[in-house]
Amino acid sequence: METQKTNWAQFIPLVTVFFFWGFVAASNDILIPVFKESFHLTQSQSQLVSVAFYIAYTVGSIIYMIVSKRLRQDLINKIGYKNGLIYGLLISAIGALLFIPAANNKSFLLMITGLFVIGLGFSLLQIVANPLAIALGPKQTGAQRLTLAGGINNFGTTVGPLIVSFAIFGAASTAGVEANIESVKTPYIILAIALVLVALLIKFSKLPQVTSIVKEDTDDATPGEHRTSALKYPQLVLGMLAIFVYVGVEVSTASNLPAYMEKSLGFATKDIAPYVSLYWASMMIGRWTGAVDAFDISGGIKKILRFLAPYLAFGVFLLVNAIAQHDLRPFYIYPILILVMIVADVLSKGNPAKMLLIFSLTAILALLIGMLSEGMVSVYAFTSVGLFCSTLWPCIFALAVSGLGKHTNQGSSFLVMMIMGGGIISWLQGYIADLTSIHASYIVGVICFAYLAFYAIRVTQILRKQGISLDKEKISGGGH
């Protein structure tokens, strides 16, 4: 399905799906300290919230492949992309409703089961929504539409922690643990209703009920070279590990931040939400910058917007927090860090390998500053990691599937499976924190970014040997 212009009437209903991905993923960071206190968990045990949610992506992908194999046909090609979105939303709604009996019975196991079911639904949405976003317009701007969708995703990550924090702490009649656990179900009841409404919106929207949107090459990419599986390509195998550690460090940096601010800086749990929101807003800031190319505007205006877009996104963060009546003064220094991200983006020149290398090295620097400093300097350093994570998903994804030819779709499904890193790396950092300190545990993130820097260098060598020019693979951002 190829059109000359982006079909915004079809694209707008689709991006609501990306919003809810972000809303739930970031809201988990608020649940972690609440569950930790309420159920008397260790830091590593509290990270089971992330494990349950992100491991569901892998389980969902495996189920998808098994069902497709039994049908002897790709499941989405059979039910259609539109139905795939609807079923994914409804599965996630069921998971959200599990929070009602979970909160009533004060069951940690049932609560993380609810998150697991939500993640299962999201795994189906992930398989469908990414190629659909690319397909709803010209091929040459497909990555930019995915970037724009990623920016909407991060609007969800920005407001999610604030809304869930208000629902839990604002709605509680007392400051006690029992009230907090009871009020956890409120935002998830609202979420379930919203997911069902979005499913109905998509049902009656103009989204096409189509199959096989993304056409894959019929031959292997390299002439005379026939490989039987996507796993025969080293850029994909190394890229799978890159996706694993990228999603892992993206999630673990934020999910361990509340405990660090409580233990080391003396913050109350209810006052941490704006900083978790800032981390995810940093992802939005980077992705809004990349989304500029999705619009049909002149080159001169695009150059201006590349500098204005990140500060506009930061303005959205300030506005949301102002509405929530949070003190904005601690955040006025952040535009300096945004400028660092803009410079790094300019230096990368849109080349995915260069961007991956530069942003990974800058993220390592940010984490080291956070580990070697104290007070709010360390908090700003840790939250700025979000700026340098913002464009890494599409960079890794584009590099990993480059040259796969007819194995591209298979390779893409393997990459989606590796989203489980978001849970496992978070748990690993929590375990290291229990052995040492939360401050020191951020060494896990340093190691993750070191691998991503290695991958940027190694994949460049691999693709050059295959005769693939990275200049033809330029992208500008996106999101999982």
Side-chain angles (χ1 to χ4, degrees):
M1 174 182 170
E2 191 71 36
T3 61
Q4 294 301 312
K5 293 184 179 181
T6 298
N7 193 325
W8 296 109
Q10 297 176 354
F11 185 77
I12 290 174
L14 177 64
V15 297
T16 58
V17 173
F18 286 83
F19 172 84
F20 284 112
W21 281 344
F23 184 97
V24 174
S27 298
N28 290 345
D29 298 331
I30 300 300
L31 294 181
I32 288 171
V34 174
F35 288 174
K36 183 181 179 182
E37 179 182 353
S38 302
F39 298 109
H40 308 292
L41 308 174
T42 65
Q43 184 63 12
S44 58
Q45 289 172 336
S46 71
Q47 295 302 315
L48 289 174
V49 171
S50 295
V51 173
F53 181 71
Y54 286 100
I55 205 73
Y57 281 88
T58 300
V59 175
S61 296
I62 293 173
I63 293 173
Y64 178 86
M65 288 190 292
I66 292 173
V67 172
S68 295
K69 187 173 182 179
R70 287 186 175 275
L71 292 174
R72 296 183 180 180
Q73 181 184 1
D74 185 270
L75 177 61
I76 294 302
N77 286 344
K78 182 175 180 62
I79 67 175
Y81 280 72
K82 188 172 182 178
N83 283 336
L85 291 175
I86 293 171
Y87 296 155
L89 288 164
L90 294 178
I91 291 171
S92 294
I94 293 171
L97 289 175
L98 284 177
F99 273 77
I100 298 175
N104 291 339
N105 292 284
K106 302 176 180 59
S107 170
F108 177 61
L109 178 61
L110 195 52
M111 284 183 176
I112 61 175
T113 300
L115 287 173
F116 178 81
V117 176
I118 292 173
L120 283 180
F122 281 5
S123 69
L124 180 58
L125 293 173
Q126 184 81 253
I127 293 170
V128 176
N130 283 307
L132 186 56
I134 293 173
L136 294 177
K139 183 178 180 180
Q140 61 269 27
T141 57
Q144 285 72 37
R145 279 190 300 282
L146 192 56
T147 298
L148 180 58
I152 300 299
N153 170 278
N154 286 118
F155 179 67
T157 62
T158 300
V159 302
L162 300 174
I163 293 174
V164 172
S165 179
F166 175 79
I168 293 175
F169 298 105
S173 58
T174 70
V177 167
E178 300 298 325
N180 287 340
I181 288 298
E182 283 294 325
S183 59
V184 161
K185 64 184 177 184
T186 303
Y188 285 89
I189 293 173
I190 297 172
L191 175 65
I193 294 171
L195 290 170
V196 172
L197 290 176
V198 173
L200 290 173
L201 172 66
I202 290 176
K203 174 68 175 178
F204 297 104
S205 72
K206 294 182 179 180
L207 270 175
Q209 183 65 278
V210 294
T211 58
S212 301
I213 286 182
V214 181
K215 297 179 181 179
E216 46 185 5
D217 299 333
T218 56
D219 299 314
D220 289 283
T222 306
E225 184 177 306
H226 303 288
R227 308 192 193 193
T228 57
S229 169
L231 294 176
K232 300 291 185 180
Y233 293 84
Q235 63 265 42
L236 176 71
V237 175
L238 294 174
M240 289 170 64
L241 181 55
I243 286 290
F244 180 90
V245 299
Y246 157 69
V247 179
V249 71
E250 173 193 296
V251 174
S252 65
T253 301
S255 62
N256 285 280
L257 184 62
Y260 169 68
M261 295 181 69
E262 285 178 345
K263 286 188 175 181
S264 300
L265 304 182
F267 275 71
T269 303
K270 64 183 179 62
D271 296 327
I272 293 173
Y275 296 92
V276 174
S277 175
L278 176 62
Y279 176 83
W280 294 107
S282 296
M283 301 281 290
M284 177 176 68
I285 288 166
R287 289 171 179 172
W288 280 29
T289 306
V292 170
D293 285 335
F295 299 96
D296 185 19
I297 51 181
S298 66
I301 296 177
K302 282 184 180 181
K303 289 180 180 179
I304 295 173
L305 288 179
R306 283 188 183 280
F307 284 89
L308 292 181
Y311 289 107
L312 177 62
F314 182 63
V316 171
F317 162 78
L318 292 178
L319 177 61
V320 170
N321 277 273
I323 294 173
Q325 297 182 333
H326 292 137
D327 184 6
L328 302 182
R329 288 174 296 178
F331 309 118
Y332 290 157
I333 194 174
Y334 210 68
I336 297 175
L337 296 174
I338 295 174
L339 183 60
V340 175
M341 184 274 296
I342 294 173
V343 172
D345 181 66
V346 171
L347 290 175
S348 70
K349 298 180 180 179
N351 181 296
K354 287 181 180 178
M355 185 176 289
L356 180 58
L357 178 61
I358 293 172
F359 276 49
S360 295
L361 293 177
T362 311
I364 289 174
L365 178 61
L367 284 173
L368 290 176
I369 292 174
M371 293 174 64
L372 297 174
S373 62
E374 296 179 353
M376 294 307 299
V377 172
S378 62
V379 173
Y380 294 134
F382 290 143
T383 55
S384 71
V385 171
L387 293 171
F388 309 112
C389 279
S390 60
T391 59
L392 297 194
W393 169 274
C395 288
I396 298 168
F397 209 92
L399 293 167
V401 301
S402 292
L404 266 60
K406 67 181 181 181
H407 302 295
T408 297
N409 282 352
Q410 184 187 48
S412 297
S413 67
F414 284 130
L415 291 172
V416 170
M417 287 177 61
M418 302 312 289
I419 292 176
M420 66 180 175
I424 295 175
I425 298 295
S426 295
W427 172 84
L428 176 62
Q429 184 173 346
Y431 180 72
I432 298 297
D434 288 336
L435 295 178
T436 57
S437 69
I438 298 174
H439 209 177
S441 72
Y442 277 95
I443 189 65
V444 173
V446 172
I447 295 171
C448 289
F449 280 116
Y451 175 78
L452 293 178
F454 161 77
Y455 178 68
I457 297 171
R458 183 68 184 120
V459 75
T460 300
Q461 298 169 343
I462 292 171
L463 294 179
R464 281 177 179 170
K465 286 183 180 179
Q466 296 179 9
I468 298 172
S469 172
L470 292 179
D471 290 336
K472 296 179 181 180
E473 297 290 339
K474 287 185 177 180
I475 55 176
S476 58
H480 72 274

